[in-house]
Amino acid sequence: MTVTSWKPAQLADLRECLELMTADGTVPGGVIAHGTLDGQPGFLTAGIVAPECGDARPGPDTVYDVASLTKVVATWPLIGSTGIDLDTPVSTFLPTVPAEAPGGKVTMGQILAHTTGLRADTRLDQYRNRSADLAALICGEDLIAEPGAGHRYINRGFILAGLLLAQDTGRRLNDLAAGLWTSLGMTSTAYGPISRSSQVAPTEQRLAGAPRLWGIPHDDNAALLGGVAGHAGVFTTAADLATYATALLAGHRDGTELGRWLARSIVPRAVIEPGIDRGLAWILAGDGRAVYHHGFTGTSLYLFPATGRYLAICTNAVYHHQDNRTALAPLRDVAIKVITAEP
């Protein structure tokens, strides 16, 4: 690995895009952390946290609901640290799931690679007033494809992974995650709900005239699970994401347990589209050189192990928009362009 610093022009492109998206109302504001594994992070900021927070400006310690970044900030590293066999059917770990259940033969490796064939719609609300165990309900549904047959992004798999982690370790998922984050020095990362303040970014207003979601998960299914789930529910800061990215990249260089897990996870497992693959949880681009994941609320984390560089984007884009893949595309396009640029 040759550690490569960020070029001023690359950071200027990121800043300009974030400022333009703030000015046109795509996001109230946001923070981008940038750095390398052997240096201190830098931060680009724009706009405000949200109108509810007055004049408060976003910064390294502003807390954001990171939505699906939960998959790679909580669930994925915990699976790596517990050493759960990726090829063993989930029914082996979950006593309430019969081996003959449609989802009983799904493996943790398939969950991480989004190749389970489980139903794509999450909709845990359909299980209200059902007495059966949630894992059994999820695995009892008919599959939409044969496990391992192809890629389809499925939150249900990571919900199941969170349940499996708790069952296998005998500890609650939020407790497991808190121990991990503490060990890495991520002092501002936690599952919600968290207290409202001017440094916690609100998200969506679900009903006209009602308060916005603020300090509680934007994801409906995470909320149904009390805010603690394998697919969503984590709140964190750009500073903590920089700490996490540094630990991953340094571990990859030094061959630590976490680094070996990252190396194993960035081998392509399934094709998402031409040029884009899925490893274990992570998305891989540029022949696997760039490693990243997004969160629906307006967050992203990018790693480039070959150069030791990272980017972490924190915004609350759902404050204004639900169609975030379109709204956030310009910033995400710039991010992947600059992190994969030749040194």
Side-chain angles (χ1 to χ4, degrees):
M1 175 190 296
T2 301
V3 178
T4 305
S5 60
W6 286 95
K7 295 179 180 179
Q10 295 170 334
L11 299 179
D13 288 346
L14 286 165
R15 182 187 296 277
E16 179 182 19
C17 190
L18 180 60
E19 289 176 345
L20 287 172
M21 293 177 69
T22 301
D24 70 13
T26 300
V27 296
V31 189
I32 300 176
H34 59 87
T36 64
L37 64 86
D38 59 357
Q40 295 298 311
F43 300 93
L44 309 174
T45 66
I48 59 174
V49 176
E52 286 86 350
C53 302
D55 295 330
R57 305 290 178 179
D61 298 320
T62 304
V63 179
Y64 287 87
D65 176 347
V66 297
S68 279
L69 280 192
T70 298
K71 294 180 175 71
V72 294
V73 172
T75 311
W76 169 79
L78 289 172
I79 291 168
S81 67
T82 54
I84 292 171
D85 186 87
L86 300 187
D87 297 321
T88 300
V90 296
S91 58
T92 302
F93 301 97
L94 295 165
T96 62
V97 177
E100 64 273 15
K105 59 185 176 181
V106 165
T107 68
M108 185 64 81
Q110 291 164 347
I111 288 173
L112 292 174
H114 292 280
T115 60
T116 59
L118 293 169
R119 279 178 48 187
D121 61 313
T122 309
R123 291 296 307 277
L124 297 189
D125 60 307
Q126 68 184 313
Y127 298 141
R128 286 182 183 273
N129 302 317
R130 299 278 294 275
S131 59
D133 175 84
L134 179 57
L137 289 167
I138 290 174
C139 291
E141 300 279 359
D142 289 337
L143 301 179
I144 60 173
E146 186 66 20
H151 181 274
R152 187 166 185 171
Y153 190 79
I154 296 175
N155 279 325
R156 279 170 168 257
F158 273 79
I159 293 170
L160 193 61
L163 299 172
L164 191 154
L165 279 165
Q167 175 67 41
D168 186 62
T169 63
R171 299 177 60 194
R172 294 179 301 180
L173 181 61
N174 55 319
D175 291 337
L176 288 169
L180 168 74
W181 298 325
T182 298
S183 72
L184 295 175
M186 299 167 66
T187 57
S188 299
T189 304
Y191 271 103
I194 59 174
S195 299
R196 297 180 179 184
S197 77
S198 61
Q199 283 303 307
V200 175
T203 56
E204 187 182 359
Q205 185 182 42
R206 292 281 170 82
L207 297 172
R212 291 180 179 274
L213 301 180
W214 192 358
I216 58 175
H218 177 266
D219 184 273
D220 289 336
N221 296 291
L224 280 171
L225 293 170
V228 180
H231 73 297
V234 168
F235 289 76
T236 192
T237 65
D240 268 13
L241 287 176
T243 297
Y244 184 54
T246 301
L248 291 175
L249 292 168
H252 186 267
R253 177 195 61 191
D254 299 337
T256 66
E257 179 182 71
L258 185 59
R260 293 193 300 272
W261 178 231
L262 178 63
R264 184 181 177 186
S265 298
I266 59 178
V267 175
R269 296 282 183 130
V271 175
I272 299 176
E273 60 183 68
I276 306 292
D277 296 300
R278 178 77 63 178
L280 296 175
W282 296 91
I283 303 169
L284 315 175
D287 296 323
R289 296 180 303 156
V291 182
Y292 62 98
H293 206 288
H294 301 311
F296 184 82
T297 46
T299 58
S300 297
L301 179 61
Y302 300 82
L303 311 172
F304 202 136
T307 60
R309 299 199 302 180
Y310 64 83
L311 288 173
I313 298 174
C314 290
T315 76
N316 49 338
V318 288
Y319 190 93
H320 294 309
H321 300 276
Q322 270 288 340
D323 186 9
N324 290 324
R325 281 176 292 185
T326 300
L328 292 165
L331 183 57
R332 289 173 172 173
D333 287 347
V334 171
I336 196 67
K337 177 183 178 180
V338 299
I339 203 166
T340 56
E342 291 297 324

